Structures are given as C-alpha cells and as structure tokens.
C-alpha cells in the first residue's frame, strides 16, 4: 500500500493556477516522493492539468454521475473524466452529501461508475461534531462504509477518505488517538465488506491537514495518507505536506 497524498481543490481554480500544478510536478520530478500524488480538480481544468502534470502527478475529478451518458444536463460521467485524462474521482464528499443530498446509495452508484470507467474511487465518510460528542462517530462512519462501498470493489480501485465534517476547513481536528481508532475501525469495516481486499484499501485522513501538522498526522498508525483541501491550492504548502510522508511507509 504505497501512501497517497491527494489534493481536493473544490470549487477553486482558473487557468493561472495551473502554474501550481506545474510547480508541484517539477518538485516531484526533482525529489521523487515516498507517495503517489494526486490532485482532484474542477472538471474545467482536468485536461489542461493532465498536460501540465506530464505524468508526474495524477489528476482526478471531484464528482461524477452514476450514468454513462444521456439527458442529464450539467452532469459529467466517469467515462468523460477518464477521457479527459483523469485517473481518479472523489465520490461522496461531505459537501456533496450535504449540499446535493447525496445518500449512501447514490455514492455507491457513483463508486461503481468510477470502477466501470477504470478510475480510482475515493469514497468519503465522516461524522459531524454532534455525532462525535454523542459517541456515535464509529457507528456513523461504519454505516457509511456499509452503504457507500460497493461489494464488488477491489483494493486497487478504491480509497477511503475519512473526513470528520467539523475538521474540514476549521483548523480543528481529532486527536491522533481518535484518528488511529477511526482508521482501525474503517479497516475492520472494509474487511467485513470486501474480505481480504479490504486489508489493502488506502485510508486517507482529511480535515485541516497543513504543513505544520502533516508530519504528526501522517505518522499515526493506519494513516500515512492524506486528503488535503485548502493547503493543496498552494504549491509550496502541498509540497511541504508531500515532504512530510514518513520515508519508511
Ligand atoms: P481542508 O483541508 O481545507 O480542511 O479540506 C479537507 C477536505 O475537505 C478535502 O477533501
């Protein structure tokens, strides 16, 4: 399980920001990292970013339709992302679950579409603050795994992003112990759902990962991987996070 450091630009980025992709690709070339590097972008930037990245970093989408094609104005299929040069897609990000009412069933259908198109599906799960305070964090994320991860998934086609909703963009985050506990629980849930394939699925921590805390987070047992929002928008910050991947991982 080679570590994976993934960025999620969300709804940010116009053509000039491709300079950051170029800078990250150049730094990956100069200092090969101890991890696979992926940046998930708005669909409008994917094809150009793929050219700019020149194969040094992988480029992904942030969402896809479950359908292949058809009368779904404004939607983009997994096949279209693949055709634009993407190799991965985030599905079920909490911002889509929240603002677009995406249920576990919808997320599972999108994950299946990603697999059909040959994209890595990064399925996101995470609890709210009140769910954590009520002691329900593990069961909420376990239920999301059971509902969102198709049984047919293989380890190479899937990654899980554990992103506590209250940690996203807030500067707050769970303790290392809580992250380790959750990642261990997610591992058990994946093995229960996928059998031995579940042992090798990469689980990424996401939520306020910054250059200043990346080393601590990435050295937590069962972590070693991250899904980075705000700090992936600036080449220098993202490079610092990439540089924090433990060399033994
Ligand atoms: P931040 O790193 O900005 O907290 O965002 C995390 C996230 O949502 C990545 O998908």
């Amino acid at each position: 399980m080679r570590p994976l450091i993934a960025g999620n630009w969300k709804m940010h980025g116009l053509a000039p920001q491709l300079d950051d992709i170029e800078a990250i690709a150049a730094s990956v070339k100069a200092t090969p990292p101890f991890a696979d590097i992926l940046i998930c972008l708005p669909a409008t930037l994917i094809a150009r970013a793929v050219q700019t990245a020149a194969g040094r970093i992988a480029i992904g989408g942030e969402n896809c339709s479950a359908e292949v094609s058809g009368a779904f104005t404004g939607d983009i299929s997994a096949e279209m992302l693949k055709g634009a040069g993407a190799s991965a897609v985030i599905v079920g990000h909490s911002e889509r679950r929240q603002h677009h009412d995406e249920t576990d069933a919808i997320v599972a259908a999108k994950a299946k579409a990603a697999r059909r198109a040959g994209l890595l599906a990064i399925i996101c799960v995470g609890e709210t603050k009140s769910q954590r305070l009520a002691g329900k964090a593990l069961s909420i994320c376990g239920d999301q795994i059971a509902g969102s991860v198709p049984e047919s998934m293989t380890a190479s086609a899937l990654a899980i992003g554990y992103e506590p909703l209250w940690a996203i963009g807030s500067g707050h985050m769970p303790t290392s112990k809580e992250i380790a506990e959750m990642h261990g629980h997610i591992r058990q849930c994946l093995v229960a759902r996928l059998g031995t394939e579940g042992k090798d699925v990469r689980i990424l921590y996401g939520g306020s990962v910054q250059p200043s805390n990346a080393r601590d987070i990435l050295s937590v047992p069962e972590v070693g991987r991250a899904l980075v929002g705000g700090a992936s928008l600036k080449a220098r910050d993202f490079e610092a996070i990439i540089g924090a991947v433990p060399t033994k991982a």
Side-chain angles (χ1 to χ4, degrees), residues 8 10 90 93 95 163 167-170 206-210 227-231:
N8 171 14
K10 309 192 178 186
I90 298 171
H93 191 282
E95 288 151 16
E163 301 204 314
I168 294 176
S170 67
S208 294
V209 177
Q210 297 289 332
L227 182 52
V228 184

Side-chain angles (χ1 to χ4, degrees), residues 83-145:
S87 54
V89 63
I90 298 171
V91 292
H93 191 282
S94 61
E95 288 151 16
R96 295 214 56 93
R97 290 180 186 260
Q98 250 179 314
H99 305 310
H100 298 270
D101 297 326
E102 289 191 4
T103 60
D104 286 340
I106 292 172
V107 175
K110 291 183 175 201
K112 273 190 195 161
R115 171 120 204 259
R116 182 187 69 215
L119 298 175
L120 171 75
I122 303 177
I123 299 178
C124 295
V125 300
E127 82 285 356
T128 63
K129 187 75 188 178
S130 60
Q131 288 165 337
R132 176 157 284 277
L133 291 174
K136 292 185 180 154
L138 296 181
S139 67
I140 292 287
C141 293
D143 288 351
Q144 288 175 344
I145 295 280

